[in-house]
Amino acid sequence: GLFIQESPVSPELDVAAVLFPGPDQLDQLKQIDNMVGDKRALILFNRQFTRPADFGFFNKGEAQKVIFENYQWGFAFQEIACRGEDVKLTFEQSCGWQACVVDENGVEIALKDDSWNKMVRPDYAELERKINEVLPEPLWMRKIGEAQEKGLKFQRK
């Protein structure tokens, strides 16, 4: 949805927000971007795309120009699966991207690498490499070890 907060002081202080914009809404996003102009804030909240290719082969160039060259991350929270593990990614403008893997006990283990550019989201291969360092055994292997120690869940008391 589109939400507009009008400023009582000046139109330049108006703020518009688009909630859950998706790749199929490129034309509407262009219209809203033109309506808002250069002097007002437009927030794309919880966008459902991460790269120009998400807009399809024929629209990725236009999406790059209209969206990815004009807007930057302010805050993000993403949850993904990487190597069968739950990974949380957060972004704040002041500190950049941060990542952690959540183990089977719910413990969050930070994934840090000094070679990463904190302003660029770590890709899958980088996350996988760091997960292999902090959790060498995959989740399924750790669960097999638990079953060998405690028995199968349906057999436990």
Side-chain angles (χ1 to χ4, degrees):
L2 173 64
F3 302 92
I4 299 174
Q5 176 65 49
E6 294 181 8
S7 169
V9 179
S10 169
E12 290 182 355
L13 298 177
D14 292 351
V15 176
V18 181
L19 183 62
F20 294 112
D24 57 333
Q25 297 170 312
L26 182 58
D27 290 336
Q28 291 91 344
L29 290 171
K30 287 190 314 187
Q31 291 173 352
I32 293 168
D33 184 56
N34 290 334
M35 175 191 75
V36 170
D38 293 339
K39 299 194 190 275
R40 296 185 207 143
L42 174 60
I43 301 168
L44 302 179
F45 186 79
N46 204 2
R47 66 185 195 183
Q48 304 299 298
F49 48 85
T50 57
R51 58 203 170 123
D54 293 340
F55 288 83
F57 181 76
F58 296 108
N59 291 326
K60 66 182 179 182
E62 190 170 7
Q64 175 69 32
K65 187 178 112 188
V66 172
I67 295 172
F68 293 94
E69 291 178 6
N70 291 330
Y71 296 96
Q72 59 184 336
W73 287 104
F75 177 82
F77 177 74
Q78 300 174 356
E79 291 181 294
I80 64 168
C82 182
R83 202 201 73 177
E85 307 284 352
D86 293 328
V87 176
K88 294 181 181 179
L89 294 159
T90 58
F91 178 85
E92 291 181 65
Q93 189 64 42
S94 60
C95 56
W97 285 98
Q98 298 177 337
C100 71
V101 62
V102 182
D103 73 6
E104 64 275 14
N105 299 314
V107 176
E108 295 182 358
I109 303 166
L111 301 175
K112 296 180 182 177
D113 192 320
D114 292 333
S115 69
W116 291 352
N117 177 353
K118 289 192 177 274
M119 300 314 277
V120 177
R121 181 184 181 273
D123 68 17
Y124 187 94
E126 293 170 322
L127 292 169
E128 183 179 35
R129 186 175 49 79
K130 288 309 287 184
I131 291 170
N132 287 336
E133 289 177 19
V134 298
L135 294 172
E137 291 183 337
L139 179 61
W140 65 267
M141 191 178 286
R142 297 192 308 269
K143 288 294 186 181
I144 287 177
E146 178 184 317
Q148 288 174 340
E149 287 176 22
K150 299 178 183 178
L152 299 174
K153 280 193 176 186
F154 68 88
Q155 295 174 329
R156 298 180 198 170
K157 291 183 181 185

